[in-house]
Amino acid sequence: MMVRKQQSKFRRPGSGKALAARPGSQIDSGVVLQALQESGSPLRLDDLLGWIGAGGKSKKKILDILAGLLDAGELVYLPGGRYALPSALKQIVGQLQVQRAGMGFVSSKDPALKGQDVYVSSEYLGLAWHGDTVRVALLPDRRGKSPEGIVLGVVDRKIRHIMVQVVRQSQPGEMLCSPLDQRQARAILVDVRALENRPLKGDVLNVRPAEHLEHGLWRGAAIANLGSGEDVPTQEAITKLGHNIPQIFPDDVLDEAGALPEAPEEEDFGS
């Protein structure tokens, strides 16, 4: 006697509706995005499998799809292993202040925040640096007093150049360097071929970042060699560049400064 194999059934979370198992060949990014849209809330992997009607054999394929959607910015990975559509989360724009310990806070004039800063864990800063204007998705659950968020992208990069110290040569014409301010990046490969003299270990370079390679690692091009980090003139240049202190002035300003006496007169102090 022929026995018909019973088809596997799944149930969508929170629904009594049973779904027929969906073959792996029918699962693509569109199916995953549609499931998250229909669910109306973030989903964990197992819930997503049930919502789609996919069996355990499809888990690896779905994980690959999720990874691609995360890289493309079409999904957000939330604490607790949940996936969400960016459009399903409240978003704000503000300025990022990164702390030395690695976490950040975003200040925004959005009335929904009521003057509170948004806390961003170091793992959710993305490619943002200290001082950047960023777009942040607010997490639906609050674990502390402050609202929490995830950086979705950089709206405006405040820092156009960074100062780094040479660690070693990585290949001819390229140096592995460490930023003086670790709130910007962890390491950067610097093209030094435009410099007149080959930088030495410990030299401080002014660098224009160009490309993100992987987590914490960037590539850039050297603008100038400021000299050894132990020299006083180099430290002075670092201070001026770090605080955007002008070093080149118009002729009329220089002429006016040159007309000033070497020391102030007694009447200059006033009463």
Side-chain angles (χ1 to χ4, degrees):
M1 182 173 65
M2 181 179 295
V3 178
R4 179 175 296 177
K5 185 177 180 180
Q6 185 177 7
Q7 191 176 32
S8 300
K9 297 285 185 179
F10 299 86
R11 294 184 183 277
R12 288 182 173 175
S15 170
K17 183 178 180 181
L19 301 175
R22 189 192 300 263
S25 59
Q26 294 182 9
I27 300 174
D28 56 19
S29 59
V31 171
V32 172
L33 291 173
Q34 182 180 359
L36 285 164
Q37 182 71 44
E38 292 178 353
S39 71
S41 61
L43 295 177
R44 293 180 174 84
L45 178 59
D46 288 343
D47 292 335
L48 183 59
L49 289 170
W51 195 274
I52 292 174
K57 293 182 179 180
S58 301
K59 181 176 289 189
K60 183 180 183 306
K61 180 173 183 178
I62 292 180
L63 284 172
D64 290 340
I65 292 173
L66 290 170
L69 291 171
L70 288 171
D71 289 341
E74 295 186 62
L75 283 186
V76 178
Y77 186 73
L78 303 179
R82 297 170 297 168
Y83 298 88
L85 297 171
S87 59
L89 303 174
K90 166 69 178 175
Q91 298 181 21
I92 59 100
V93 173
Q95 187 175 51
L96 173 66
Q97 302 292 321
V98 179
Q99 309 299 305
R100 296 291 180 183
M103 78 287 285
F105 290 90
V106 176
S107 57
S108 173
K109 296 181 180 179
D110 192 299
L113 297 176
K114 299 179 181 179
Q116 289 185 300
D117 291 340
V118 179
Y119 170 81
V120 182
S121 172
S122 59
E123 61 185 307
Y124 295 120
L125 291 175
L127 303 183
W129 291 350
H130 175 73
D132 287 348
T133 299
V134 296
R135 181 174 297 279
V136 173
L138 301 183
L139 300 183
D141 303 320
R142 179 183 295 195
R143 293 176 292 181
K145 294 182 179 180
S146 299
E148 298 183 42
I150 296 175
V151 173
L152 297 179
V154 176
V155 176
D156 181 54
R157 178 80 73 190
K158 178 182 178 181
I159 299 173
R160 305 301 178 185
H161 59 82
I162 62 175
M163 286 170 287
V164 304
Q165 193 160 30
V166 176
V167 176
R168 61 177 172 82
Q169 178 176 291
S170 56
Q171 62 181 15
E174 184 178 79
M175 297 288 182
L176 175 64
C177 301
S178 175
L180 298 184
D181 189 344
Q182 292 295 316
R183 297 176 299 176
Q184 297 167 350
R186 292 186 178 177
I188 183 167
L189 297 172
V190 181
D191 184 343
V192 297
R193 291 174 294 177
L195 299 178
E196 292 185 8
N197 299 317
R198 177 179 175 272
L200 303 176
K201 180 179 179 180
D203 281 358
V204 175
L205 309 179
N206 191 12
V207 173
R208 181 181 296 110
E211 178 186 8
H212 177 254
L213 300 177
E214 58 184 59
H215 181 66
L217 180 63
W218 290 72
R219 174 172 282 131
I223 302 171
N225 185 349
L226 305 180
S228 172
E230 298 181 355
D231 294 344
V232 173
T234 301
Q235 295 172 8
E236 180 182 344
I238 291 172
T239 300
K240 290 179 178 179
L241 288 171
H243 293 84
N244 295 317
I245 298 175
Q247 301 182 62
I248 300 177
F249 300 91
D251 291 339
D252 58 337
V253 174
L254 295 175
D255 292 341
E256 185 176 349
L260 294 174
E262 293 185 4
E265 302 292 339
E266 185 175 345
E267 58 268 19
D268 292 332
F269 291 99
S271 57

